[in-house]
Amino acid sequence: MPVAIHATEKALCKVFSDDFAFSIPAYQRPYAWTKDQASELLTDLLSFLGDGSEAVTDANPYFLGSIVLIKSEDAPEADVVDGQQRLTTLTILLSVLRGCLESIKTIN
C-alpha cells in the first residue's frame, strides 16, 4: 500500500498541542545542540518578535524550518524524522519560560 506524503504549515501552538505526541526513533542521532545553537534560535525568535509594539497575531509567520514526521492523521503519535534538535530546544525554552511565569505568579 503506497503512503501519501504531504506538507502542511502549522502554527507553533498547534505543534505543541495535544495533537502531537512526539517520539524520537532509535535511528536518530542524540540531541547535540549546545548553548550556542540554542542561544542563536532564541535570539532569532526574539529578533523576529521585535520590541513588542506589534501584536503577535499581527506578525508575519516565522519560518522555523522543516519538521518531518511520520504520523497518521487520526492519532497524535508522531515519529520525528527531521527537526529533532529544534523541537527539543523549543521544548526546553518553553519549559524555562513556564517556570519563570510560575515564579512570577508565586511572587505576586
Side-chain angles (χ1 to χ4, degrees), residues 4 11 16 21 24 27 33 43 47-48 51-52 55 67 72 74 97 99-100 108:
F16 284 102
I24 309 299
Y27 59 80
W33 274 20
T43 300
S47 174
F48 173 78
D51 61 7
I67 296 171
S72 83
D74 56 346
L97 289 171
C100 290
N108 294 328

Side-chain angles (χ1 to χ4, degrees), residues 4-66:
I5 297 174
H6 66 281
T8 59
E9 184 178 299
K10 301 278 186 197
L12 200 54
C13 62
K14 188 75 166 167
V15 171
F16 284 102
S17 73
D18 289 339
D19 292 351
F20 293 89
F22 299 111
S23 64
I24 309 299
Y27 59 80
Q28 287 290 358
R29 65 185 173 111
Y31 181 74
W33 274 20
T34 65
K35 187 170 43 172
D36 291 338
Q37 288 94 0
S39 178
E40 184 178 338
L41 176 60
L42 180 59
T43 300
D44 193 45
L45 284 168
L46 291 173
S47 174
F48 173 78
L49 291 172
D51 61 7
S53 61
E54 180 180 25
V56 173
T57 54
D58 295 336
N60 288 325
Y62 174 81
F63 181 66
L64 182 61
S66 298

Side-chain angles (χ1 to χ4, degrees), residues 63-102:
F63 181 66
L64 182 61
S66 298
I67 296 171
V68 180
L69 307 172
I70 298 173
K71 181 184 179 314
S72 83
E73 291 286 331
D74 56 346
E77 291 77 20
D79 285 347
V80 180
V81 176
D82 186 46
Q84 180 215 130
Q85 307 295 313
R86 282 171 283 139
L87 281 172
T88 302
T89 303
L90 286 169
T91 301
I92 293 167
L93 290 172
L94 290 170
S95 178
V96 168
L97 289 171
R98 180 188 62 211
C100 290
L101 290 173
E102 288 172 354

